[in-house]
Structures are given as C-alpha cells and as structure tokens.
C-alpha cells in the first residue's frame, strides 16, 4: 500500500479509524527519503529517531482514544531556515553549517502542539536567495518530474519533499515567490499569506518586510489546514497581526458571485512562454462560462521587479551583518593558524562562508543604502512600493481576485540561468508584487507542458485567505 | 555602471574580502543589475508618501525560556573563556601590520 500518496485529510481519517498506524506512515516516509534523497538532494537533516518516537506517542493516543491535535500523526518537511530547537539549522549556508538552534520557531511550536511529526529540514537557496535551489551550499535539489531541471527556489527542498511523496506537507518561506514558484514547478499548491498572518519568530531573516512562512501541500484543503494551525498574532513578532478572520477549511463557493481580474501587464509580458499563456487562457475560458472576468491594468507593476531588487537586498545587507564569526556559526578564529585582527576575522569569515549570490545581494543592498545613492534608489523604491500597493488596493475594490501565471515558464534546466543573475531575477516577475503589496497569493497546478507542471497564481486583497482558498478549490475542481 | 573602485568600497562597507578576480566579476554583475533597477529613477511616482512604521511592542517581561538557554547559547560561540565569548581585540593589530609599521620605523 502506498501510504504517501495520501493527502493530509485522508491520512488524518485513516489514522483515526485505524487503517494504518502512525508509525507505519512515518516509516514509509523515512524509507522513501532513504531511497530518493541522494538522487534528489531534498533533506539536509533527517530526524529519524524523533519522528518514530513521535509516531509511537500518537499511536498510543489513538489507541487510548485521547483527544488528538488537528495534525495528529502527519509527517511534515520543514525548510532549513526555520528553527527547530536543538537541531541543526543551516539556512543552506556554509556559515551556519554546524549551527544548533537554541530556540524554536513559533510555527514549529504550533505544529507540534497539534501533533504533527517533523521528518527533517529541507534544502534551500542560501538564506532564501534564489529561484532554483542552485544557490545552496549543499548542492541543488532536482525536479522529480525531470531530473535535469530545477525544483524551483528558494523552497525547492520542501516542494520536492511533498511532490516526491517523502512528506504529506511542508513549510517554506516566501520573500519574492519562494513558496509559489517551487510549488508551480513541482505541481503543488503553495501559499504566501498576507504579511503578518504568520509569525516570523524563528525564521532566519532575509528581508524582514517581505518574508512570510507558508504551507506547501498536494491540494487546497491540506494547504488551508496547515495555514489554520500556523496563523495568529505572536508577541515575539511585532510585525504579526491578529487576523480579521480565522482560517477555515474552504467550502465550495458559488463562483458566479466572484469578479476576476486578469492582469494586462503580465499577460502581455514578453518573457511569458506562449504555451503557459495558452494554458492559463484555456482555464480562464472554462471559468468565464460561469463568472465575470475583466482585464485590469496595474501600470506600476512594470516597476515591481526593480523595486523588489532594491528593497530586498537593502534589508538583506542589514540582516546578514550579524554573521560575523563571533557569537555563532563558522569562524576564522577557530583556525589554529589564523593570526588576523578583528577586521580580518569579520572579512574572511564572511567571504569564505557566504556564497556568491549572498555576497552579490549584500553588496547591492550596501550600494542602494549608501551615502549619495540612498535617496535615488532605496527611498525611490519605498515610494514605488507604496504606489504598487495603492494600485492593488484600488483594483481589489472592483474585483475579488487577480489571476496570472505563477511563472513565465515551467521549470528551467539546471545551470540554465545560474550564470546570469539578472536572468534568474527576471523569472520572479509575477510573484514579487504580492510580497511588495503584503497580499496573500496562492499557486495551484493547472496542467502540464511537455510533462512539466504549470501553476496558476491567484492573488486576493489583504486578509482574504478564506475567500482565496474557496475560489482556489473551485479552480482545482475545474482542472481535475 | 559601477566601477571596481566602488566595488572595493562596497566590499569594505559590507565586511567582505574579495580577490581581484571576484572584484572584476561582481563589477560586471552589479553594473548589469543596477542598470536594470535604475529604471525606477525615471518613474513618475505621485500621491504617495513614506508611511510611518507599524509594529507592536510586547509586554516588558523577561523571556524565561531564553534565559534558560544560556549555556546552549554560549556553546554556539566559536571561542570561549569560562562564561565569556572571546574575540580579537578591537584595537589589536595583525602581525602583518606590526611588521609593516616596524619597517617604516
């Protein structure tokens, strides 16, 4: 019996009714991981003992008919920039290769409290910087649909963990598309929540005004369930908010009541592959038989990528200043033949342990914040960000959702874009606006092109996750 | 367009030590990226202003859980002496600099 092909909802039911035990489920996941991990490079660390112990505890609870958590016995994979206490957390970087987390992320506490089983930590682009997982210090993660192609990034490991049936769900983080893009490349559902819905406490910071933790799963229901466990204001994250509505499991909506907007600037984008455009149009035609679809224009979106690649590196340069070889992480001072002074300790620890993309973004951020350039770049980008958000909020007064492809193309080949950073950045064109405007956005699979999954992105107004999940569920049914 | 002199300056500000080869590589790459993002400078942005920061302060209470982790936190430090994290002196010179200043004398 292939237990891993279950969804989270199916597994919860089957565990409660005793169709199989939690230990059987977890053992099956662990066997799958052992078999496939070398080839796909998904997990950086595997918590075999703890996962099996956790599974046995859940089985005891089920047997004694004790009250079970909402994720009781569900094996999950966690991106390795989210802290799990007393376990290594590398952020995909040499500089944290041996770092042991001394505290736990709030989202992990919440998942554990509901009985989830953490299988291990997954590969990512270093510090979340990248769109392919090729920037990991520990090698790229491969796409299970085509091993010569990328899994997407930066949450590539988490996406493949679910797509390759090593886990039933996963957590990723999204700063400019890092959940949605790998979800699209691997045929999954992935959501970036409204900024502030999920606590960032225990997420290794990349760009603090853009980062959000979110779920990846096989379907909309599972994604909603994971989010409902993780959401909520946290005293330890001053940028988290009490949500206006609690996240609920989606109901099938009367979609004829919705108004959909299709973004003109995106559909006309010259980088958008014809086959992707046609697939999205096909879905829109199917829906248009039931609901109003109008073309909307957001002219500021043409500035979004430039705006993102100024603000994000600026925050990166500040957030990564802490890695100095003094309090934790890799350090030159550990080397017996190091005779340098403090400055050399900082400079050499950082240059020898940060990868090229990280160093690139730190310097880019330093530039846009530096004297003489700050007003022209950083301040201008902040104003552009306000304008982009303002345009989105105006549009959401006229439509309920905005749809577009998640990515301009399906998964590209390993090595195809890594040599040209700007080329890589351009692949984020459809995902970064949601981060800039603090909006919720979901990617769901709508079909394949030459065997490679394609994702549809749906954006909604702030705090509209429930509405978003309902509509996404309707699209899921239409596509299936 | 950014010069190699500017890259060297940025590297110093960012506490990065770059080889000559790396400086040339980053100079090319950052020039291309900055050329792209510079389009923002020509953009007409109106009717928006920089908003105040939001954020909420938590209660001023000791986070006991973190205090209890004291030993584990200290265990992360690359160099220690008793209960102290040890590092290089702020004003200490490297052996190279001392040799150089002795030569000048």
């Amino acid at each position: 019996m292939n237990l891993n092909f279950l969804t989270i909802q199916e597994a919860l039911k089957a565990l409660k009714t005793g169709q199989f035990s939690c230990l059987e489920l977890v053992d099956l996941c662990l066997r799958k991981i052992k078999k496939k991990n070398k080839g796909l490079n998904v997990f950086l660390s595997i918590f075999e003992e703890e996962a099996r112990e956790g599974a046995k505890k859940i089985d005891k609870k089920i047997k004694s008919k004790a009250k079970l958590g909402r994720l009781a016995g569900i094996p999950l994979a966690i991106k390795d920039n989210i802290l799990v206490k007393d376990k290594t957390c590398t952020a995909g970087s040499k500089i944290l290769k041996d770092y042991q987390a001394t505290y736990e992320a709030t989202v992990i506490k919440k998942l554990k409290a509901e009985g989830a089983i953490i299988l291990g930590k997954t590969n990512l682009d270093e510090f979340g910087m990248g769109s392919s997982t090729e920037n990991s210090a520990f090698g790229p993660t491969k796409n299970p649909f085509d091993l010569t192609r990328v899994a997407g990034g930066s949450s590539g490991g988490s996406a493949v963990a679910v797509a390759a049936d090593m886990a039933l769900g996963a957590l990723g983080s999204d700063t400019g598309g890092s959940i949605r893009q790998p979800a699209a490349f691997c045929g999954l559902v992935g959501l970036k929540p409204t900024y502030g819905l999920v606590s960032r406490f225990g997420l290794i910071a990349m760009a603090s005004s853009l980062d959000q933790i979110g779920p990846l799963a096989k379907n909309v229901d599972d994604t909603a369930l994971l989010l409902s466990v993780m959401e909520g204001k946290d005293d330890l994250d001053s940028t988290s908010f009490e949500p206006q509505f609690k996240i609920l499991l989606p109901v099938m909506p009367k979609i004829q009541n919705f108004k959909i907007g299709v973004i003109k600037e995106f559909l006309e984008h010259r980088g958008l592959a014809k086959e992707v455009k046609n697939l999205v149009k096909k879905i829109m035609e199917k829906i248009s038989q039931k609901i109003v679809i109008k073309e909307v224009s957001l002219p500021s979106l043409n500035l979004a990528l430039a705006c993102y690649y100024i603000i994000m590196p600026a925050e990166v340069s500040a957030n990564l200043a802490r890695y100095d070889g003094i309090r934790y992480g890799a350090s030159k001072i550990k080397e017996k033949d190091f005779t340098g002074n403090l400055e050399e300790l900082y400079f050499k620890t950082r240059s020898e342990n940060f990868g090229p993309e990280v160093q690139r973004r730190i310097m880019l951020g330093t530039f846009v914040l530096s004297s003489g350039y700050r007003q022209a770049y950083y301040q201008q980008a902040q104003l552009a960000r306000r304008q982009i958000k303002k345009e989105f909020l105006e549009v959401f007064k006229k439509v309920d959702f905005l749809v577009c492809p998640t990515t301009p193309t399906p998964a590209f080949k390993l090595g195809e874009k890594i040599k040209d950073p700007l080329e890589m950045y351009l692949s984020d064109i459809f995902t970064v606006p949601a981060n800039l405007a603090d909006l919720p956005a979901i990617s769901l699979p709508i079909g394949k092109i030459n065997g490679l999954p394609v994702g549809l992105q749906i954006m909604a107004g702030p705090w509209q996750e429930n509405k978003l999940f309902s509509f996404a569920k309707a699209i899921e049914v239409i596509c299936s | 367009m950014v010069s190699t002199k500017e890259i060297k300056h940025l590297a110093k500000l960012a506490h990065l030590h770059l080889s000559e080869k790396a400086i040339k590589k980053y100079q090319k790459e950052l020039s291309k990226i900055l050329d792209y993002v510079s389009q923002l400078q020509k953009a007409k942005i109106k009717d928006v202003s920089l908003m105040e920061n939001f954020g909420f302060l938590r209660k001023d209470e000791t986070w006991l859980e973190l205090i209890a982790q004291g030993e584990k936190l200290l265990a992360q430090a690359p160099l220690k002496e008793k209960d102290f994290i040890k590092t290089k002196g702020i004003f200490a010179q490297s052996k190279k600099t001392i040799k150089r200043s002795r030569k000048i004398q």
Side-chain angles (χ1 to χ4, degrees):
Chain A
M1 193 178 6
N2 274 318
L3 298 180
N4 329 50
F5 291 103
L6 290 177
T7 64
I8 293 176
Q9 303 276 30
E10 286 164 350
L12 283 169
K13 219 181 268 175
L15 285 167
K16 277 193 189 126
T17 56
Q19 270 182 64
F20 46 78
S21 71
C22 183
L23 189 61
E24 278 180 281
L25 177 60
V26 166
D27 273 341
L28 194 50
C29 291
L30 291 169
R31 275 204 298 278
K32 206 81 179 236
I33 294 169
K34 279 195 179 119
K35 188 176 170 194
K36 293 182 162 184
N37 202 43
K38 202 166 178 200
L40 294 171
N41 197 29
V42 173
F43 282 88
L44 297 176
S45 53
I46 303 163
F47 307 155
E48 183 167 349
E49 217 177 285
E50 293 87 344
R52 299 190 88 246
E53 281 313 306
K56 288 176 191 167
K57 285 194 181 128
I58 296 289
D59 283 331
K60 265 196 190 133
K61 272 189 153 176
I62 295 173
K63 216 173 182 179
S64 66
K65 299 209 194 313
K67 186 167 185 233
L68 295 169
R70 287 185 288 155
L71 289 172
I74 302 301
L76 301 175
I78 308 293
K79 187 176 183 180
D80 204 16
N81 61 353
I82 298 170
L83 301 191
V84 174
K85 194 172 167 187
D86 297 329
K87 293 293 185 185
T88 309
C89 194
T90 66
S93 179
K94 265 166 70 177
I95 214 161
L96 291 178
K97 187 164 75 79
D98 300 312
Y99 170 71
Q100 302 291 304
T102 51
Y103 61 98
E104 193 126 277
T106 298
V107 293
I108 300 296
K109 272 201 185 125
K110 288 186 170 193
L111 290 175
K112 283 184 177 177
E114 295 290 348
I117 307 284
I118 311 292
L119 289 171
K121 310 300 284 308
T122 55
N123 200 15
L124 65 159
D125 282 297
E126 193 176 354
F127 286 102
M129 299 186 213
S131 311
S132 64
T133 314
E134 292 172 291
N135 289 323
S136 169
F138 309 107
T141 297
K142 296 182 185 167
N143 194 312
F145 291 89
D146 179 342
L147 299 177
T148 67
R149 291 181 187 263
V150 301
S154 57
S155 312
S158 282
V160 179
V162 181
D165 292 301
M166 296 168 166
L168 295 189
L171 293 197
S173 70
D174 192 310
T175 304
S178 290
I179 288 174
R180 293 162 282 156
Q181 188 249 40
F185 281 3
C186 295
L188 300 174
V189 179
L191 173 104
K192 181 203 86 71
T194 306
Y195 183 81
L197 181 64
V198 177
S199 171
R200 291 182 301 108
F201 182 78
L203 168 68
I204 293 180
M206 177 183 154
S208 313
S209 77
L210 297 159
D211 295 342
Q212 273 292 278
I213 295 175
L216 291 105
K218 292 174 188 170
N219 64 17
V220 173
D221 280 350
D222 286 358
T223 309
L225 178 59
L226 287 171
L227 186 69
S228 73
V229 169
M230 293 196 291
E231 59 136 351
K233 182 164 167 19
D234 182 13
D235 281 345
L236 296 170
D237 174 4
S238 73
T239 60
S240 68
F241 294 95
E242 195 57 60
Q244 291 179 9
F245 318 102
K246 283 279 164 212
I247 300 297
L248 306 166
L249 285 184
V251 290
M252 277 301 287
K254 288 196 173 87
I255 63 168
Q256 48 269 41
N257 296 335
F258 290 141
K259 290 195 197 81
I260 312 300
V262 167
I263 304 173
K264 177 170 176 274
E265 285 78 11
F266 283 173
L267 274 188
E268 289 171 2
H269 196 271
R270 52 185 159 80
L272 176 60
K274 207 168 53 175
E275 305 91 342
V276 174
K277 184 175 182 175
N278 291 338
L279 189 51
V280 170
K281 275 190 160 172
K282 210 168 101 186
I283 303 294
M284 290 295 104
E285 270 154 27
K286 272 191 183 167
I287 311 173
S288 68
Q289 292 159 18
K290 299 186 182 181
I291 100 198
V292 171
I293 301 183
K294 33 160 69 179
E295 194 179 78
V296 296
S297 176
L298 288 113
S300 293
L301 284 187
N302 292 320
L303 307 172
L305 203 64
C307 177
Y308 176 76
Y309 276 101
I310 290 172
I311 294 177
M312 176 272 293
E315 296 187 14
V316 158
S317 70
N319 278 328
L320 269 66
R322 69 192 67 182
Y323 302 105
D324 55 12
I326 310 276
R327 290 154 298 160
Y328 43 72
S331 178
K332 288 297 282 183
I333 215 166
K334 283 198 229 183
E335 291 170 25
K336 286 194 181 131
D337 53 355
F338 179 69
T339 54
N341 61 11
L342 185 65
E343 187 179 282
E344 281 155 352
L345 168 61
Y346 289 152
F347 281 48
K348 291 195 173 159
T349 296
R350 289 161 64 81
S351 333
E352 288 174 22
N353 291 288
F354 281 149
E357 184 60 36
V358 169
Q359 296 194 41
R360 205 164 11 245
R361 294 194 193 193
I362 289 173
M363 283 194 284
L364 193 50
T366 307
F367 179 88
V368 302
L369 287 173
S370 64
S371 167
Y373 296 111
R374 190 192 161 102
Q375 199 148 2
Y377 286 90
Y378 183 71
Q379 227 161 276
Q380 182 77 342
Q382 290 288 25
L383 288 169
R385 184 178 182 175
R386 300 282 178 267
Q387 181 145 299
I388 291 166
K389 184 164 184 172
K390 192 177 168 198
E391 270 183 16
F392 267 114
L393 296 179
E394 278 304 312
V395 160
F396 281 121
K397 288 180 186 167
K398 303 176 198 152
V399 300
D400 297 290
F401 308 106
L402 290 170
V403 293
C404 64
T406 307
T407 57
T409 66
F412 41 88
K413 291 259 186 197
L414 286 155
E416 187 181 319
K417 294 186 196 258
I418 196 75
K419 295 199 176 89
D420 186 346
L422 188 60
E423 206 39 55
M424 188 72 85
Y425 298 168
L426 290 170
S427 63
D428 293 340
I429 195 110
F430 300 145
T431 48
V432 304
N435 301 82
L436 290 171
D438 305 330
L439 300 172
I442 195 168
S443 177
L444 54 151
I446 54 164
K448 294 200 178 96
I449 291 168
N450 300 326
L452 297 171
V454 171
L456 180 75
Q457 181 179 233
I458 310 170
M459 287 182 264
W463 312 107
Q464 300 305 308
E465 275 85 348
N466 282 329
K467 215 164 86 174
L468 184 60
F469 280 133
S470 282
F471 180 58
K473 197 174 163 110
I475 306 274
E476 200 173 49
V477 168
I478 289 170
C479 290
S480 65
Chain B
M1 191 55 183
V2 65
S3 66
T4 49
K5 189 178 173 192
E6 278 176 306
I7 297 289
K8 283 183 186 165
H9 176 61
L10 290 176
K12 193 166 183 205
L13 289 175
H15 287 188
L16 293 169
H17 171 262
L18 301 179
S19 65
E20 285 304 319
K21 192 177 168 195
I23 289 168
K24 287 197 178 109
K25 175 168 113 75
Y26 287 129
Q27 187 260 333
K28 282 198 189 110
E29 289 168 352
L30 287 179
S31 294
K32 202 174 171 188
I33 297 165
L34 285 167
D35 277 347
Y36 177 79
V37 300
S38 295
Q39 61 178 281
L40 214 58
Q41 290 168 351
K42 301 178 209 135
K44 287 189 185 131
I45 299 167
K46 46 184 179 173
D47 301 330
V48 285
S49 60
L50 296 174
M51 279 154 52
E52 315 105 45
N53 288 333
F54 56 81
F56 306 94
L57 300 177
R58 62 179 172 85
K59 286 193 204 125
D60 186 12
E61 285 166 346
T62 312
W63 184 25
L64 291 168
E65 215 185 292
L66 187 61
I67 304 290
Q69 298 304 316
E71 268 185 49
K72 282 190 183 171
L73 288 166
L74 197 58
Q76 298 299 314
L79 195 66
K80 293 178 283 292
E81 202 170 280
K82 294 183 191 169
D83 277 350
F84 297 95
I85 294 173
K86 193 171 175 181
T87 186
K88 294 284 180 176
I90 295 170
F91 301 111
Q93 293 171 311
S94 67
K95 286 193 176 161
K96 226 195 249 177
T97 321
I98 292 170
K99 254 192 184 167
R100 219 183 289 142
S101 54
R102 279 199 184 136
K103 260 193 178 166
I104 295 167
Q105 281 168 19

